[in-house]
Amino acid sequence: MGTRISKLGIRKVFTGRGDLTVEVEVYLDDGWGRAIAPAGASRGRHEVKYFPDEGIDAAIDVFKRWVEPGLIGIDAVNQAAVDKKLEEIDGTWDFSKIGGAVAVATSMANVVAVADSTGLWPYQVIGGSLANVIPYPLGNTIGGGKHSRGLGPDYQEFLILPYGAPDIYTAVYANMEVHREVGKILAKEDPTFAGGKNDEGAWTAKISTDKALEVLSSAIKEVSKRLGVEIGLGIDAASSSMWNGKAYIYANEGKELTPREHFERIKNIIEKYDLMYIEDPFHEEDFQSFAELTALFKDRLIVGDDLFTTNPDRLAIGIREKAANAVLIKVDQIGTITRAHETVRLALNNGYRIVVSHRSGDTESGLLAHIAVGFKAPIIKTGIMGGERVAKANELLRIWDHLGGVARMAKIK
């Protein structure tokens, strides 16, 4: 058959942050594809292991000795079989022998190879003929927390979502206009602001959490009025990175808050700034606080990232506890397209929204846009400025054009 795997290849490459990662190539009898594994700075405890303990060279050696010979001859169209074989070769749940980076790059490269062989686009390989919904881009505009070396606001990301845009071009443009407007406001607010940006292209400034939200709210109002597009406001608190086991450390504010004080702080911020998107408001084991916040704000997106790590077993706990109402999907957290799709189906079957997401150490690949459309995600978290971020946005524009008249924007509200 023309879609059987005939050869594989692997090489060391770099993320946009300069971190080493791997790129895998999958060759079929009549097609080929390649993909790069992204790398996150803020990783949840329940993610798969990025590389084996021995490092990237050991991962490449295992790939050449076991992964390549193990996959040759498999029909690449059967994505589940390819991904299952990766699990069998590794033999551990968290890919600690071959590394999650090798697993996800191989899994994604297989999708691209099948697309090349069959004349389809990757989103069609993943989602089939019904994949015609374009997600709204969720953009990181002001950075804080670990992503800004602790020099900015205490929460890691201050986000915008142009949920009122009629098409993907307008949505992407609205995000970029808000980003520009925020830069102008910050230059007026902070005389020392030099236009610095973090790994995800978000502005970095020495401001407080409240000041960041005030600046972003002001920018949203200005751009919404000018473009006639409704734009929502959100945060990724990345609370696990603030949690010391007993309290939440607000380094910027010089405060140490108890779990209850932190809960009240999050609650007050949601109400004061009318947040529609709240990611990781509590540390990754606190299902109870997630559930309490979700019950209070049923009309907002309460999103678990470190809480779930794209893991269906973790999500099952959240469903049982009624913790959060949305889940961040990062294929590299779980290792393969098939595993991620399993989590997506579990989420959708239980009323959870899905948000397909980039990583802080991402690459020039636009494949994430295809994954988001293939998974029928209403939101893609992809940043705004910077080559790695714009690559995903531009790919969404191409997919929109490829779909033609059947393309439609997702429903957020």
Side-chain angles (χ1 to χ4, degrees), residues 7-325:
K7 186 175 71 170
L8 293 95
I10 191 169
R11 65 174 59 89
K12 295 178 186 177
V13 292
F14 297 93
T15 70
R17 193 169 50 216
D19 294 331
L20 268 173
T21 185
V22 291
E23 179 177 70
V24 170
E25 294 178 341
V26 172
Y27 293 85
L28 313 183
D29 294 336
D30 59 0
W32 75 286
R34 67 183 175 202
I36 308 177
S42 177
R43 296 178 187 167
R45 283 171 49 203
H46 304 282
E47 293 189 33
V48 297
K49 199 173 183 67
Y50 195 69
F51 287 131
D53 289 336
E54 298 80 8
I56 189 171
D57 289 327
I60 290 174
D61 181 59
V62 171
F63 178 92
K64 291 177 178 177
R65 286 194 294 120
W66 298 103
V67 176
E68 181 174 15
L71 291 180
I72 288 176
I74 294 179
D75 185 1
V77 170
N78 190 342
Q79 184 73 36
V82 172
D83 292 342
K84 185 67 176 176
K85 191 64 178 179
L86 286 169
E87 293 180 11
E88 291 174 2
I89 291 168
D90 185 275
T92 66
W93 179 89
D94 62 353
F95 287 110
S96 59
K97 291 185 180 177
I98 69 174
V102 167
V104 75
T106 305
S107 180
M108 294 192 302
N110 187 74
V111 168
V112 180
V114 171
D116 184 53
S117 176
T118 58
L120 299 172
W121 281 35
Y123 75 89
Q124 295 170 314
V125 173
I126 295 170
S129 60
L130 297 180
N132 68 334
V133 176
I134 303 297
Y136 282 97
L138 177 70
N140 187 5
T141 312
I142 299 175
K146 274 189 176 181
H147 286 184
S148 295
R149 298 193 301 119
L151 299 175
D154 290 307
Y155 298 150
Q156 189 163 278
E157 298 173 3
F158 295 80
L159 302 149
I160 55 172
L161 183 66
Y163 64 91
D167 54 66
I168 188 58
Y169 170 81
T170 306
V172 171
Y173 181 63
N175 274 359
M176 290 184 171
E177 286 296 284
V178 171
H179 191 280
R180 290 190 186 96
E181 185 66 23
V182 167
K184 293 176 185 176
I185 297 172
L186 288 176
K188 295 176 183 176
E189 291 282 346
D190 180 5
T192 67
F193 179 65
K197 299 173 187 174
N198 68 10
D199 290 340
E200 294 185 0
W203 297 114
T204 296
K206 292 181 179 180
I207 56 175
S208 68
T209 293
D210 278 289
K211 177 56 71 175
L213 288 165
E214 288 167 9
V215 168
L216 198 47
S217 296
S218 177
I220 283 173
K221 287 177 184 175
E222 168 61 29
V223 174
S224 292
K225 182 180 178 182
R226 178 153 40 92
L227 299 184
V229 172
E230 291 180 290
I231 303 171
L233 179 59
I235 60 169
D236 173 8
S239 292
S240 289
S241 63
M242 301 172 65
W243 176 247
N244 70 359
K246 294 181 179 179
Y248 290 93
I249 307 302
Y250 282 72
N252 179 286
E253 299 175 21
K255 293 179 181 178
E256 188 172 305
L257 300 187
T258 66
R260 178 43 54 178
E261 289 170 337
H262 175 73
F263 183 98
E264 291 299 322
R265 179 69 187 278
I266 293 286
K267 175 178 174 289
N268 291 339
I269 283 175
I270 294 171
E271 293 172 341
K272 182 176 180 180
Y273 298 101
D274 194 25
L275 302 187
M276 69 176 296
Y277 181 98
I278 305 94
E279 182 181 328
D280 281 350
F282 311 105
H283 71 80
E284 60 198 357
E285 301 301 335
D286 192 358
F287 285 91
Q288 184 177 348
S289 292
F290 267 90
E292 187 178 348
L293 195 73
T294 305
L296 277 177
F297 297 102
K298 292 184 174 67
D299 60 335
R300 319 297 170 101
L301 288 165
I302 312 298
V303 188
D305 175 18
D306 291 342
L307 184 73
F308 298 134
T309 57
T310 317
N311 185 325
D313 295 335
R314 296 282 298 179
L315 180 58
I317 297 171
I319 292 167
R320 186 177 69 240
E321 301 291 333
K322 297 181 180 179
N325 56 26

Side-chain angles (χ1 to χ4, degrees), residues 352-363:
Y352 277 61
R353 297 289 189 97
I354 61 168
V355 180
V356 168
S357 176
H358 64 170
R359 298 307 295 256
S360 57
D362 219 295
T363 73

